[in-house]
Amino acid sequence: MQIKRITKEQAWELRHTVMWPEKEFDYIKLPGDDNALHYGLFNENELVSAVSLFVQDEEAQFRKFATLSNRQNRGYGSRLLEFVLNEAQRQGVKRIYCNARTIKAPFYEKFGLTRTDVVFAKGGKDYVVMERIF
């Protein structure tokens, strides 16, 4: 298992496959992807999990965290998230946050993220902003 920087195109491919396969490919692209740090976890040379980190000054947001459906619940996403949290802290980030699907909030809580009061719905799913202060 290896975690390393990946290209935005690699992140896009995994995002599309996992998150929105029914949408047009351009739907998964984000403003700022050109400047984001994209990380991937590989198992036997297969990209299994990816996340994009958007750093601005002392804050960072991780977005579009995705793991292949047939590889979920094996710890791949946990390892990648732990890596990205440590990397953000190493870069001097004081606060990291994400827009978590409400049903996934307990997963993020295991990594020290806490729920904020900011909640919203998008695309028929409920979200909560979660954060961790370093």
Side-chain angles (χ1 to χ4, degrees):
M1 194 173 331
Q2 181 184 26
I3 297 173
K4 62 183 180 179
R5 292 270 305 269
I6 60 173
T7 66
K8 66 184 176 191
E9 291 83 7
Q10 287 172 296
W12 290 344
E13 188 64 42
L14 192 70
R15 284 180 198 168
H16 189 254
T17 299
V18 174
M19 303 175 106
W20 296 286
E22 73 285 356
K23 300 277 190 182
E24 291 182 27
F25 191 80
D26 284 347
Y27 183 80
I28 53 79
K29 296 178 182 179
L30 295 173
D33 268 336
D34 289 341
N35 299 316
L37 303 171
H38 307 281
Y39 295 95
L41 181 141
F42 291 81
N43 186 36
E44 298 179 7
N45 296 319
E46 177 187 29
L47 179 58
V48 173
S49 188
V51 65
S52 299
L53 184 65
F54 297 80
V55 180
Q56 186 171 15
D57 300 321
E58 293 185 340
E59 285 198 344
Q61 180 182 21
F62 63 92
R63 299 184 68 184
K64 308 306 179 207
F65 181 27
T67 302
L68 291 174
S69 299
N70 63 349
R71 299 286 195 274
Q72 292 180 5
N73 300 311
R74 297 183 187 180
Y76 296 126
S78 293
R79 287 189 182 182
L80 181 57
L81 181 56
E82 190 66 43
F83 177 90
V84 168
L85 292 172
N86 289 334
E87 183 65 16
Q89 189 173 19
R90 188 186 70 72
Q91 291 184 29
V93 168
K94 303 294 184 207
R95 175 184 180 253
I96 191 165
Y97 67 99
C98 71
N99 298 335
R101 284 183 288 151
T102 304
I103 62 170
K104 296 292 185 179
F107 171 79
Y108 294 109
E109 288 170 339
K110 293 188 291 187
F111 296 90
L113 280 90
T114 57
R115 299 172 196 235
T116 68
D117 294 334
V118 180
V119 295
F120 61 95
K122 182 179 176 184
K125 296 180 181 175
D126 295 324
Y127 292 86
V128 59
V129 175
M130 298 188 72
E131 67 182 1
R132 179 171 161 185
I133 308 299
F134 295 112

